[in-house]
Amino acid sequence: MAPPEQAGADISSLITVRLSQSLDEVESVWRELQASGVESPGQSLDFIRHWVRTQAIAAADQVYLVAELGGMPLALLALHRHLRKGVRVLSFFPGAHVGCNAPLIDSARLLALGATGRRALWQAMLRKLKGIDVIHLRAVPECPVDGVDLFAELGHSLVTDTLYRASFTSWEEANSLQRNKSRRKHDRQQGEKLDAMGTVTFEEVGNGPEALTLLDTLFAQRAARFVEMGVTDPFCAASVRDFYDAAVAADSGVPVRLHALRLDGEVVALRYNIALGDRLFCLISSMSTAPAIQPGSPGKQCLLRVMQTVFDAGTRVFDMGSGFTDEKRHWCNVQIPVREHYLAVTTLGGVAAKFHGGWLRFRREIKSNPRLLAMIKVLRAGVSHQRAGEAPPS
């Protein structure tokens, strides 16, 4: 039998690719590939089904590419066709509403193809596309299997961020590895301050009417926080709220887990998570902006209780998304580079990919420079206050 690399050299003639614009037509293949595990809620068929419906994405703008080898599914790409500044783009459906995303793959068979075979696979899928300038795959995590990154041949890529995950077998392991004596003392002091304000309770709520009622609080808290930060609220569109409402419905097929911290019955911190297999993905977190309760750090206290419960309940990986925050520094012991992947179909697509990649590199440099980042935050706050008709902060 030929080695994988040698076999990959003429594998393109054995790969079959079909294009569909119907989620129903690819459902069986999708569920087969999804069963081996996912890196993101964006790889969940039920999640995407609700997204497509609530965002009213036309069938003509839905693209599902299925690649098979020997009659067996090898990879699936689910993409949204849209126009971005005059450029015809295909990208993942949920965009920044998930921390990362990736093609659905049979990782063992993709590994066996070798680098040449994987490159032939992606090129074969690309040839099926018409009327597109570029494929832009946002926030794809490195996917090492036996030391090989299975997405290394997926077009041109650049690292733009880091994905943060907590991976533990139990709360005891998480506690011993991530919390030193000083951290425990700090958490205890904050907890005591919160306890002194009233009765503190914590609960997990699954899909159903109770979860739906919590969403009003979640999005109100997030909206207030975005105003403070001086950034656009990504959840303000009615269709986006419709999606999150649909996902928490009892029969949605999306296993939602809301974690709520209450003070005298009032929700002071919330986390919107999705549980897939032994993985928990946090999509949204919020907390009250009331100044009186900030000394009790309700957001951190809520996360502490999440950590204390989910690992002993069977969770093995808790994905907190990309972008560095204090809570990720405290709890996440796994860091994975995430990349933007570009597959240019036309000359215009190639130019657009280079421009967009350059902008992302510039933005990353700003984020890594504390002085520049502080200046940007001050400017954002000033713009936000001006829009609200308030005096900018001095």
Side-chain angles (χ1 to χ4, degrees):
M1 183 176 179
E5 275 295 336
Q6 183 179 338
D10 29 59
I11 203 75
S12 57
S13 62
L14 304 177
I15 295 173
T16 60
V17 179
R18 58 188 170 97
L19 184 152
S20 174
Q21 291 179 293
S22 167
L23 192 52
D24 291 339
E25 288 181 358
V26 300
E27 178 170 356
S28 60
V29 170
W30 190 315
R31 293 201 185 279
E32 183 177 345
L33 291 172
Q34 182 182 330
S36 62
V38 298
E39 295 293 329
S40 163
Q43 293 177 304
S44 161
L45 183 140
D46 295 303
F47 184 99
I48 295 301
R49 194 191 299 280
H50 288 297
W51 184 267
V52 167
R53 181 180 59 79
T54 57
Q55 307 312 298
I57 299 174
D61 294 327
Q62 300 175 45
V63 175
Y64 305 101
L65 284 166
V66 176
E68 296 178 329
L69 180 61
M72 300 290 290
L74 188 59
L76 186 152
L77 271 168
L79 303 170
H80 179 199
R81 184 199 311 265
H82 55 102
L83 197 65
R84 185 187 298 167
K85 298 186 184 303
V87 181
R88 298 166 299 176
V89 181
L90 281 178
S91 58
F92 291 128
F93 283 104
H97 286 271
V98 293
C100 68
N101 217 328
L104 281 152
I105 59 172
D106 181 329
S107 57
R109 297 177 70 226
L110 209 63
L111 176 66
L113 285 182
T116 304
R118 289 189 293 275
R119 189 172 292 108
L121 165 68
W122 305 125
Q123 290 174 349
M125 297 178 84
L126 196 65
R127 284 194 293 270
K128 276 287 181 180
L129 299 171
K130 305 295 181 185
I132 290 298
D133 294 309
V134 64
I135 299 176
H136 173 214
L137 304 180
R138 177 190 176 277
V140 177
E142 287 189 357
C143 184
V145 177
D146 293 341
V148 175
D149 182 4
L150 298 184
F151 295 140
E153 295 78 29
L154 185 54
H156 170 71
S157 66
L158 71 153
V159 175
T160 56
D161 215 327
T162 302
L163 188 68
Y164 293 87
R165 290 174 172 169
S167 178
F168 303 105
T169 59
S170 65
W171 158 244
E172 182 181 359
E173 182 183 32
N175 187 40
S176 62
L177 293 178
Q178 297 300 117
R179 292 211 304 166
N180 56 25
K181 183 178 179 180
S182 174
R183 182 74 246 164
R184 291 190 185 97
K185 179 181 178 181
H186 189 68
D187 288 341
R188 185 177 65 254
Q189 289 173 337
Q190 289 179 333
E192 290 171 350
K193 290 176 182 177
L194 199 61
D195 287 336
M197 300 176 194
T199 301
V200 178
T201 56
F202 175 76
E203 61 187 352
E204 179 181 278
V205 177
N207 297 68
E210 187 179 356
L212 189 60
T213 62
L214 286 172
L215 294 191
D216 287 334
T217 300
L218 176 76
F219 288 110
Q221 290 179 347
R222 282 309 304 171
R225 178 60 178 150
F226 285 126
V227 169
E228 285 186 351
M229 295 168 64
V231 299
T232 302
D233 182 353
F235 307 109
C236 64
S239 62
V240 172
R241 174 61 192 269
D242 288 343
F243 164 75
Y244 285 100
D245 285 355
V248 302
D251 59 351
S252 74
V254 180
V256 175
R257 302 288 182 269
L258 297 182
H259 292 105
L261 187 72
R262 296 178 183 269
L263 179 63
D264 289 336
E266 295 295 322
V267 175
V268 293
L270 262 171
R271 302 186 75 90
Y272 187 115
N273 310 295
I274 291 178
L276 294 170
D278 63 357
R279 297 189 174 198
L280 190 68
F281 298 89
C282 182
L283 299 191
I284 315 171
S285 63
S286 74
M287 69 174 185
S288 169
T289 57
I293 65 171
Q294 297 313 304
S297 297
K300 291 181 179 179
Q301 286 297 306
C302 182
L303 180 55
L304 173 61
R305 286 160 174 79
V306 172
M307 299 294 290
Q308 288 171 333
T309 56
V310 298
F311 290 103
D312 286 342
T315 294
R316 291 296 170 263
V317 176
F318 184 16
D319 185 308
M320 298 190 196
S322 58
F324 181 77
T325 63
D326 205 36
E327 65 180 25
K328 295 171 186 176
R329 177 174 64 86
H330 289 156
W331 291 113
C332 295
N333 61 335
V334 176
Q335 299 182 18
I336 303 172
V338 292
R339 299 180 298 208
E340 307 289 309
H341 287 252
Y342 303 94
L343 292 91
V345 180
T346 67
T347 301
L348 175 61
V351 172
K354 288 182 179 179
F355 179 83
H356 190 263
W359 159 246
L360 291 179
R361 279 190 290 267
F362 174 68
R363 192 172 68 174
R364 192 179 188 199
E365 288 177 7
I366 290 176
K367 288 183 177 181
S368 63
N369 186 316
R371 180 175 293 180
L372 281 176
L373 187 59
M375 289 173 60
I376 293 296
K377 287 181 177 179
V378 169
L379 288 173
R380 278 179 175 174
V383 170
S384 176
H385 283 281
Q386 286 177 355
R387 287 175 179 170
E390 303 171 2
S394 57

